[in-house]
Amino acid sequence: MTQLLDQALIAKSKYQLGMLTKEEAAEKAKPFIDAYNAHSQKVAAKYNQKPENLTFNQLVNTFISFGG
């Protein structure tokens, strides 16, 4: 999962620097987003809660970045 996170953060950084379009960055971040959402579904089902799904916009705007 950390490799997927690294790939997503690199795509986020390149998008913010203008090196990738939004669609290209979203495509590169999709494996991490899918894995995150699958884990969220699993945890939510375990505790009978509604899952918090991650979108590409949330990743870019509010999710973790390099350096914490």
Side-chain angles (χ1 to χ4, degrees), residues 11-30:
K12 170 188 172 177
S13 295
K14 286 184 177 182
Y15 169 64
Q16 290 176 329
L17 292 171
M19 298 171 67
L20 292 175
T21 65
K22 184 175 183 178
E23 293 77 21
E24 291 169 336
E27 185 177 318
K28 290 183 183 287
K30 187 166 177 30

Side-chain angles (χ1 to χ4, degrees), residues 25-64:
E27 185 177 318
K28 290 183 183 287
K30 187 166 177 30
F32 171 73
I33 294 170
D34 291 343
Y36 181 93
N37 289 339
H39 181 72
S40 176
Q41 291 278 354
K42 218 185 294 184
V43 171
K46 180 178 178 181
Y47 294 103
N48 196 26
Q49 298 290 315
K50 182 178 174 186
E52 289 288 330
N53 289 325
L54 180 67
T55 65
F56 179 70
N57 287 337
Q58 290 171 324
L59 176 72
V60 170
N61 293 325
T62 61
F63 206 61
I64 61 172

